[in-house]
Amino acid sequence: MLFKPTTARILSALATNALTPSVYVALGAGTALRLVVLALSSPEYNLPLWKTYGWPGDHCCYVQWARQTTSPDQGLLSIYTHAPEQDLKVLLSFGEITEKHGNGGIANYPPLAIYLLHVDGLLLRVIDPEQVANTFVARAVFALFPLMGDLILAWGVWRLAGLLFGGSAGRVALTVVYLIPPLWLDSCWWGQTDSWELAPAVWIVVSMVRRRWLPAGVLWGVALALKPQAILLAPVWLFAWAASLTPVWRHGCTHRTRHDWARIILAVLLALVVVNAIALPFWVTTGDAWLQQSYLRNLTQEAPHTTLKAFNIWYIDLLITYDTDVDRTIVGVTKDVWGKILAVVGLLVSCAIAWRGRSAVQHRLVLFAGLWLLAVVMLPTRVHERYILMCLPFLVTAATGARRLWPALTGTIIIACFQMTAFHWLPISADGWSTELKDDTIQYHRNAIAQAPPGYIDLIPTIEQAIEMRFAFFLDAHRSYAPYEWTLTIAALLFAVATFVVGTRLSCDMPG
């Protein structure tokens, strides 16, 4: 039946998908690697002559939010209505602690993520009453839940690949996902929280494969309450729902479902109930402020740039125009709208590739999830570099059942490593002009005019001249880095295209 392996097959998969000594070695190596990277991300343990310290910006923002939720003066329920206190002690890369003016605005994470940050804040207050950010202690505390997410994610791909392709595939998937650099760079070196979303996302698909729709709905509610990007799983639900309404070709026979379409709708409604139940304390005290900040503002207003260090199709546009403004037009249509159009095209192509195959629907569901989440990184605007992580667990799972996917996937993983470390190896990027230097030049010129003594204003260049000169200096400084950006962007697009081309065969060839 659709989405339902036989009981014997599930039991067989579970029996053959036992952890082997090699997997325990991989888990141990991955965990040790994460701890080493976590230590080196702090200025306290940097290697001589190596800049191994992690990106402090987002980590400091998390510390500010956590400190706000644990503050007697503000508290947890103020997180969506007040910005945190901006004074923050930060350990700098050269070993000094400074009273830094923080950069954290009103929180834009959903309620369950805020609860986890609250726990982090309580733990940091106990261990370090001064709550100094960017120390090894602070980084370790705030890496606790991302590390748990990494483990749950690895466990999920183990179960998913094992159910679909057998025990050896599950062990390969676990080993690859737990060891590839982009994931541990995100959770340990950068201190980000993308595994909070990826872990439940994989288990949602595990539940779908087993036709356990209500648990899948609960897990989607949890994912939505952790990261707003979980909304990108909606097409996966739509694919499953459409498949439940359609006879499915499998092993030369037609299989129909029994009321799965109704259970899927009920599961989606259950996800909404879970999200609102988790947000209930905020609904009662501050109304829809949590919804406005963590979803509406986060998804529609923040980061109005064509690309944010993501080597996708809009990075080509950036390298040509040096402009990230999403409101600029191409043949009368804004780049933001073009990005949405391309995303819809990517969705339709992903669906067509997965839908047309003859392999079992659960295999094509995983392939669709991987292709769609890859398309949503490569085609729309406002994409962060970290979003490349979302497709990797599903593409790795698909590759364990179809080896021809590995070359393109390996290339995508390598590109992801460069994206995750761009803040270190790319000090002058193509977006630097439109996101920072142009506005800085305008503000500096205004200050110069305001502070110039009488009679000296005519000696100051016009704003147009100032912008032209600063832009020329920027182009000269950026010239040595442009070849790297061009190479990585073109390679990323080629690997993505190769993944889709191979996917057209995988939907027919994967074992059913």
Side-chain angles (χ1 to χ4, degrees):
M1 292 183 181
L2 180 63
F3 285 124
K4 186 177 182 181
T6 63
T7 302
R9 181 175 178 179
I10 291 177
L11 293 176
S12 174
L14 294 178
T16 58
N17 200 24
L19 294 178
T20 62
S22 62
V23 174
Y24 284 112
V25 170
L27 288 172
T31 302
L33 180 63
R34 281 165 167 76
L35 295 177
V36 170
V37 171
L38 181 61
L40 294 178
S41 68
S42 165
E44 297 157 291
Y45 300 105
N46 259 231
L47 296 176
L49 305 179
W50 284 77
K51 294 181 180 180
T52 61
Y53 53 86
W55 178 250
D58 294 321
H59 164 74
C60 292
C61 189
Y62 294 152
V63 174
Q64 284 183 279
W65 290 342
R67 189 178 59 171
Q68 177 182 356
T69 66
T70 59
S71 168
D73 299 327
Q74 293 184 295
L76 177 64
L77 298 177
S78 71
I79 196 72
Y80 294 117
T81 57
H82 298 85
E85 295 179 359
Q86 298 300 302
D87 61 302
L88 179 69
K89 290 185 177 180
V90 182
L91 180 63
L92 301 179
S93 58
F94 43 85
E96 292 187 8
I97 295 178
T98 182
E99 290 281 352
K100 176 189 174 184
H101 190 274
N103 59 356
I106 296 178
N108 61 353
Y109 274 44
L112 186 53
I114 297 301
Y115 297 153
L116 296 183
L117 291 176
H118 179 69
V119 174
D120 289 334
L122 293 174
L123 184 58
L124 183 62
R125 276 181 177 270
V126 172
I127 300 176
D128 178 16
E130 291 189 72
Q131 302 175 79
V132 181
N134 207 34
T135 64
F136 172 70
V137 168
R139 283 189 166 271
V141 167
F142 283 83
L144 177 62
F145 290 116
L147 288 176
M148 293 174 60
D150 285 355
L151 280 171
I152 296 171
L153 171 62
W155 180 25
V157 295
W158 170 62
R159 289 295 304 273
L160 182 59
L163 284 172
L164 296 179
F165 307 116
S168 61
R171 292 187 285 272
V172 170
L174 181 150
T175 301
V176 172
V177 165
Y178 201 57
L179 289 180
I180 54 175
L183 289 168
W184 49 257
L185 282 171
D186 183 77
S187 58
C188 298
W189 184 79
W190 197 331
Q192 265 290 344
T193 58
D194 293 277
S195 65
W196 291 3
E197 169 198 354
L198 289 174
V202 170
W203 281 98
I204 289 169
V205 179
V206 171
S207 299
M208 287 180 170
V209 166
R210 300 182 65 181
R211 272 178 69 190
R212 300 182 62 187
W213 302 112
L214 296 186
V218 172
L219 287 169
W220 195 28
V222 169
L224 289 168
L226 285 168
K227 298 274 282 189
Q229 288 77 18
I231 194 69
L232 295 174
L233 295 174
V236 180
W237 281 95
L238 186 60
F239 186 95
W241 180 78
S244 72
L245 298 174
T246 308
V248 178
W249 179 266
R250 178 181 167 193
H251 297 316
C253 301
T254 313
H255 297 264
R256 295 185 181 274
T257 61
R258 298 177 303 171
H259 310 298
D260 274 356
W261 65 271
R263 295 191 184 100
I264 292 173
I265 293 175
L266 182 60
V268 171
L269 295 176
L270 181 59
L272 298 178
V273 171
V274 170
V275 172
N276 283 275
I278 293 172
L280 185 59
F282 297 103
W283 273 124
V284 173
T285 57
T286 57
D288 67 346
W290 73 273
L291 186 63
Q292 295 287 338
Q293 297 296 336
S294 60
Y295 273 91
L296 300 182
R297 176 172 72 90
N298 202 348
L299 296 176
T300 63
Q301 299 179 20
E302 289 197 345
H305 306 293
T306 52
T307 182
L308 297 102
K309 299 289 193 304
F311 298 124
N312 56 18
I313 193 170
W314 290 104
Y315 214 98
I316 296 287
D317 172 77
L318 172 62
L319 287 167
I320 295 172
T321 66
Y322 292 98
D323 187 2
T324 63
D325 186 357
V326 294
D327 294 322
R328 292 294 178 91
T329 61
I330 300 177
V331 295
V333 179
T334 66
K335 294 179 180 180
D336 215 18
V337 173
W338 276 118
K340 291 179 173 63
I341 293 172
L342 291 174
V344 172
V345 172
L347 172 61
L348 295 177
V349 171
S350 302
C351 185
I353 290 174
W355 192 266
R356 63 180 287 275
R358 293 175 297 176
S359 56
V361 175
Q362 57 265 38
H363 300 136
R364 288 186 277 133
L365 180 72
V366 172
L367 179 62
F368 170 72
L371 293 179
W372 155 240
L373 292 174
L374 176 60
V376 86
V377 173
M378 292 297 171
L379 299 177
T381 56
R382 302 174 187 256
V383 173
H384 282 276
E385 63 289 301
R386 304 186 315 277
Y387 293 178
I388 190 67
L389 301 179
M390 297 179 62
C391 66
L392 296 184
F394 300 105
L395 291 179
V396 167
T397 300
T400 60
R403 295 181 180 177
R404 70 181 67 182
L405 187 59
W406 281 115
L409 175 57
T410 301
T412 299
I413 292 172
I414 292 172
I415 297 298
C417 294
F418 281 101
Q419 288 191 180
M420 296 300 297
T421 57
F423 287 99
H424 263 48
W425 65 266
L426 189 59
I428 303 176
S429 58
D431 65 347
W433 172 252
S434 60
T435 60
E436 182 179 356
L437 294 180
K438 184 177 181 179
D439 290 341
D440 179 70
T441 302
I442 294 172
Q443 185 60 46
Y444 185 83
H445 185 270
R446 289 173 179 170
N447 293 339
I449 293 293
Q451 298 173 12
Y456 285 85
I457 293 180
D458 293 339
L459 301 177
I460 299 176
T462 65
I463 183 63
E464 291 79 9
Q465 292 172 328
I467 290 176
E468 183 180 353
M469 287 188 293
R470 187 75 181 273
F471 184 59
F473 286 133
F474 164 75
L475 287 180
D476 185 63
H478 174 256
R479 187 170 291 112
S480 60
Y481 297 99
Y484 301 111
E485 293 172 293
W486 275 107
T487 301
L488 289 170
T489 303
I490 293 172
L493 293 172
L494 289 176
F495 287 132
V497 170
T499 301
F500 275 82
V501 171
V502 174
T504 60
R505 296 296 305 275
L506 296 189
S507 60
C508 296
D509 294 348
M510 282 194 297

